Amino acid sequence: MNAVEVRNLRKVYGTKVAVNDISFDVRVGEVFGMVGPNGAGKTTTIECIEGLRRPTSGTVRVLGMDPVHERNALQQRVGIQLQQSALQKRLKVKEALQLFSDLYSNPAPWQPIAERLGLSASLNTHFGDLSGGQRQRLNIALALIPNPEIVFFDELTTGLDPQSRRAMWELVQDLRREGKTVFLTTHLMDEAEKLCDRVAIIDHGDIVALDTPQNLISTVDVETRVLVTVPEEAVAEALARVRAVPHAIRAESKGSEIVVHGSGDALPVEVVNALWEAGIQFASLKVERPTLEDVFLKLTGRTIRS
Ligand SMILES: Nc1ncnc2c1ncn2[C@@H]1O[C@H](COP(=O)(O)OP(=O)(O)OP(=O)(O)O)[C@@H](O)[C@H]1O
Ligand SMILES: [Mg+2]
């Protein structure tokens, strides 16, 4: 069974088409990511799946249920972190955690969750006094309280510092190991690439690609680049040598830096071997592999930030 099934989902606000006839499944136990730029339709999609917004047309099933009409039954089985959510300013962190625990029939103990999310020192702080990153971490903690089968994260790490971001990545990987299904949205391509089993790229309300990050990267045929610096007098020979390796497509030099364009995982090793065999010393080896960012650029003609 699929954890989530979306068929021909469409959501229109007035004349604005936010989501245009999208269909996809999320498998049980996978980390599924929806990535795309601001305004692409990620929050609209995830909130239709959560039952918080009503689709204009199309159907959504979550654990086989209708998220709008069977909301109460579903609520016990899913965890939701909203992109924007506010609690009562005067509510203390520990009160929020306890309050949420009381809502569920089989809650996970909140103390270890608070500890995990780095909230132990803030338990007596009022929600209104929390920093943006602390609020975000509290919202993630609250999403875990129901001991859910599926967890929805809308912009998991937006507003978090690099250290908290890495901690959230580990959290998602742990949830996956525990067999939970994770549906997350992000505009960070590296986050999607690192965390997700499968990624749907959404742009202007359409899914433009959906596959594993590896397949997405290999299907768009973007190049791997290997950059090495060699002594001035060896540039000509180095160029000839690296151009001859099996996975090189072309190579050029900029001063004493050589840039080899090619494909595949073997290219860096081939370049290093070719230089080594020719007795050419090299320094500052750098490999630039294609990323999901390149995939987005190739599919839409834009970088995700523009
Ligand atoms: N309640 C609403 N009323 C009217 N328009 C809306 C509403 N919610 C979203 N939109 C519009 O629908 C489009 C998709 O918005 P949505 O919030 O789903 O995008 P998003 O991908 O989550 O963006 P972000 O990365 O900024 O969170 C945008 O053009 C947005 O302005
Ligand atoms: Mg959003």
Side-chain angles (χ1 to χ4, degrees):
M1 197 182 77
N2 290 315
V4 175
E5 294 181 352
V6 175
R7 292 291 172 272
N8 305 106
L9 175 66
R10 183 175 166 86
K11 178 71 179 176
V12 178
Y13 303 105
T15 54
K16 168 84 200 169
V17 179
V19 172
N20 183 26
D21 193 24
I22 62 171
S23 299
F24 60 93
D25 296 327
V26 178
R27 299 171 190 153
V28 169
E30 78 175 337
V31 177
F32 185 94
M34 180 161 264
V35 303
N38 290 143
K42 302 180 298 295
T43 295
T44 301
T45 303
I46 199 170
E47 293 197 357
C48 284
I49 296 171
E50 291 161 350
L52 301 173
R53 300 190 196 196
R54 281 169 186 262
T56 305
S57 57
T59 57
V60 175
R61 286 285 174 277
V62 180
L63 298 170
M65 291 186 264
D66 180 319
V68 175
H69 296 110
E70 294 169 275
R71 182 111 204 278
N72 289 343
L74 253 186
Q75 229 166 13
Q76 295 291 332
R77 298 172 65 186
V78 303
I80 292 176
Q81 173 235 327
L82 300 175
Q83 182 173 2
Q84 309 245 326
S85 66
L87 295 167
Q88 245 289 330
K89 274 192 180 147
R90 299 286 302 158
L91 200 63
K92 290 179 179 171
V93 168
K94 66 177 180 194
E95 292 167 345
L97 290 160
Q98 188 58 53
L99 195 69
F100 266 63
S101 296
D102 295 342
L103 293 175
Y104 297 100
S105 50
N106 180 29
W110 62 256
Q111 290 83 351
I113 295 176
E115 171 98 47
R116 182 80 212 256
L117 273 299
L119 293 166
S120 296
S122 324
L123 292 178
N124 287 308
T125 307
H126 294 122
F127 180 77
D129 295 332
L130 295 176
S131 72
Q134 287 169 328
R135 286 182 191 199
Q136 171 90 345
R137 284 186 274 124
L138 175 59
N139 285 327
I140 293 168
L142 295 176
L144 300 178
I145 297 264
N147 197 12
E149 291 162 58
I150 309 181
V151 202
F152 294 97
F153 296 118
D154 193 4
E155 301 288 341
L156 176 69
T157 61
T158 301
L160 297 183
D161 60 37
Q163 195 185 339
S164 305
R165 225 182 131 205
R166 274 194 297 277
M168 292 314 110
W169 287 4
E170 281 171 28
L171 174 79
V172 168
Q173 284 158 342
D174 285 348
L175 292 170
R176 186 175 180 281
R177 272 191 286 273
E178 290 165 26
K180 297 192 190 297
T181 305
V182 178
F183 187 124
L184 63 87
T185 75
T186 179
H187 58 275
L188 303 169
M189 288 288 181
D190 60 334
E191 181 164 291
E193 190 175 328
K194 180 162 176 63
L195 291 182
C196 298
D197 295 302
R198 291 191 308 140
V199 171
I201 298 180
I202 185 167
D203 188 36
H204 297 306
D206 287 308
I207 291 181
V208 293
L210 193 169
D211 211 328
T212 62
Q214 269 322 307
N215 284 347
L216 287 172
I217 289 165
S218 59
T219 50
V220 296
D221 193 28
V222 243
E223 292 174 342
T224 296
R225 301 198 308 155
V226 180
L227 298 87
V228 282
T229 306
V230 299
E232 289 281 354
E233 65 277 10
V235 168
E237 184 177 0
L239 271 176
R241 295 278 177 163
V242 297
R243 280 178 180 143
V245 307
H247 288 90
I249 295 163
R250 62 182 201 282
E252 74 251 357
S253 59
K254 288 183 209 149
S256 59
E257 185 181 60
I258 302 231
V259 185
V260 191
H261 303 256
S263 62
D265 291 339
L267 183 69
V269 177
E270 289 171 359
V271 168
V272 167
N273 279 343
L275 296 174
W276 179 259
E277 280 162 16
I280 299 170
Q281 300 281 331
F282 59 88
S284 67
L285 172 74
K286 196 169 145 203
V287 179
E288 294 179 352
R289 292 189 190 277
T291 64
L292 273 187
E293 200 91 44
D294 298 308
V295 176
F296 187 82
L297 181 65
K298 197 106 176 179
L299 289 172
T300 67
R302 287 172 290 118
T303 61
I304 194 159
R305 273 167 253 293
S306 65

